[in-house]
């Protein structure tokens, strides 16, 4: 059964600092998604990563995928308060025995002014 | 429509009653997904449809849960004989298809409270 582990689960950081959220998964997949969720809101798609070595950037956020290490990272550069939210990674098992998209537990990010 | 539409947005029901949650995906999207999110928790995969077909129903928590999709569009998630542990946000999402790695868009959710 696919397991998706994010760490840290909670992160409090100062504005202007850099940090990385890690997403490890247990079964082969080359398809991974990152989402943002604000309190009481639904999920907003950030990145879709579809191959080994994929890297995507949007503003202060950059996501990458290493399928051999079964690891994706979401890097935050020079954090600002507006980035405070919960971030989820999700691994897609399309075509596999368990044809599902499994989410990590989320990383709750709190950026202090 | 412009986005994934879910109804009702909020539902309070008595334990033992049946509820139906509706999802209207983005026009043209053939893949539709249902998730459950309990308070402060991650997302639990329930079921997905490609067209009208749901290849794997093993994610449904119990036989009280069922889902259908007709006409390749609207889907209904039905919970029979609701229990308090069914209280959660039920999120629906859609994408162009299941296989191409397209962006998956989520609706605002149906907040279910069983009292």
């Amino acid at each position: 059964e696919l397991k998706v582990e994010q760490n840290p689960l909670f992160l409090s950081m100062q504005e202007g600092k850099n940090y990385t959220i890690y997403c490890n998964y247990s079964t082969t997949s080359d398809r991974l998604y990152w989402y943002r969720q604000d309190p009481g809101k639904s999920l907003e798609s950030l990145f879709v990563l579809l191959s080994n070595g994929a890297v995507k950037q949007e503003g202060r956020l950059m996501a990458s995928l290493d399928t051999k290490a079964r690891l994706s990272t979401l890097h935050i550069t020079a954090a600002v308060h507006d980035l405070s939210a919960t971030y989820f990674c999700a691994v897609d098992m399309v075509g596999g025995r368990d044809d599902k998209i499994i989410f990590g537990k989320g990383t709750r990010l709190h950026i202090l002014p | 429509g412009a986005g994934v539409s879910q109804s009702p947005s909020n539902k309070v029901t008595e334990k033992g009653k049946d509820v139906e949650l509706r999802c209207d995906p983005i026009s043209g999207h053939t893949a539709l997904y249902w998730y459950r999110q309990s308070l402060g928790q991650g997302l639990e995969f329930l079921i997905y449809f490609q067209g009208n077909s749901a290849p794997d129903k093993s994610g449904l928590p119990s036989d009280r849960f069922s889902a259908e999709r007709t006409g390749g569009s609207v889907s209904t998630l039905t919970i029979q004989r609701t229990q308090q542990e069914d209280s959660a946000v039920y999120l629906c999402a859609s994408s162009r298809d299941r296989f191409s790695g397209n962006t998956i868009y989520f609706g605002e959710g149906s907040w279910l409270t069983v009292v």
Side-chain angles (χ1 to χ4, degrees):
Chain A
E1 180 183 325
L2 172 65
K3 290 187 177 2
V4 181
E5 292 187 355
Q6 285 183 239
N7 71 84
L9 295 181
F10 183 80
L11 176 59
S12 183
M13 55 192 291
Q14 297 278 348
E15 274 193 324
K17 300 290 188 184
N18 303 334
Y19 210 81
T20 300
I21 299 170
Y22 298 89
C23 176
N24 290 91
Y25 53 99
S26 61
T27 307
T28 301
S29 173
D30 59 2
R31 189 172 292 189
L32 190 138
Y33 311 98
W34 282 97
Y35 284 88
R36 168 182 172 147
Q37 186 177 39
D38 291 295
K41 302 290 187 182
S42 191
L43 280 80
E44 174 191 354
S45 176
L46 295 175
F47 300 109
V48 177
L49 303 170
L50 298 178
S51 61
N52 185 40
V55 177
K56 291 197 175 177
Q57 183 165 5
E58 181 73 34
R60 300 174 187 275
L61 300 178
M62 184 173 71
S64 66
L65 178 61
D66 181 342
T67 59
K68 293 179 182 176
R70 299 178 185 172
L71 170 68
S72 180
T73 60
L74 180 67
H75 186 74
I76 303 152
T77 301
V80 292
H81 180 67
D82 285 353
L83 291 179
S84 296
T86 299
Y87 293 85
F88 292 94
C89 65
V91 177
D92 193 341
M93 300 301 295
V94 61
R97 197 165 66 103
D98 287 318
D99 187 5
K100 299 174 181 175
I101 302 172
I102 303 298
F103 278 72
K105 292 187 184 299
T107 296
R108 195 167 157 195
L109 178 63
H110 182 54
I111 299 171
L112 304 167
Chain B
V4 178
S5 178
Q6 293 188 245
S7 62
S9 54
N10 279 286
K11 175 76 175 178
V12 179
T13 191
E14 291 181 351
K15 179 180 169 181
K17 295 283 178 74
D18 298 351
V19 295
E20 278 191 358
L21 307 176
R22 175 188 165 107
C23 174
D24 200 343
I26 293 171
S27 178
H29 282 195
T30 62
L32 184 148
Y33 312 81
W34 282 101
Y35 283 85
R36 177 168 75 172
Q37 185 175 31
S38 301
L39 189 62
Q41 301 297 311
L43 278 76
E44 177 187 3
F45 181 89
L46 298 180
I47 194 169
Y48 89 86
F49 291 88
Q50 174 59 44
N52 293 333
S53 174
D56 183 353
K57 299 183 180 180
S58 65
L60 295 173
S62 74
D63 59 8
R64 296 186 295 105
F65 288 71
S66 62
E68 65 174 15
R69 188 180 188 196
T70 55
S73 182
V74 171
S75 176
T76 303
L77 178 69
T78 301
I79 310 172
Q80 295 180 309
R81 304 182 303 282
T82 52
Q83 303 294 312
Q84 287 185 328
E85 61 262 28
D86 299 334
S87 296
V89 179
Y90 290 82
L91 291 163
C92 177
S94 72
S95 62
R96 284 196 182 280
D97 65 67
R98 176 75 184 95
F99 309 110
S100 303
N102 309 117
T103 299
I104 300 170
Y105 298 92
F106 279 79
E108 293 295 316
S110 290
W111 295 64
L112 176 65
T113 303
V114 181
V115 297

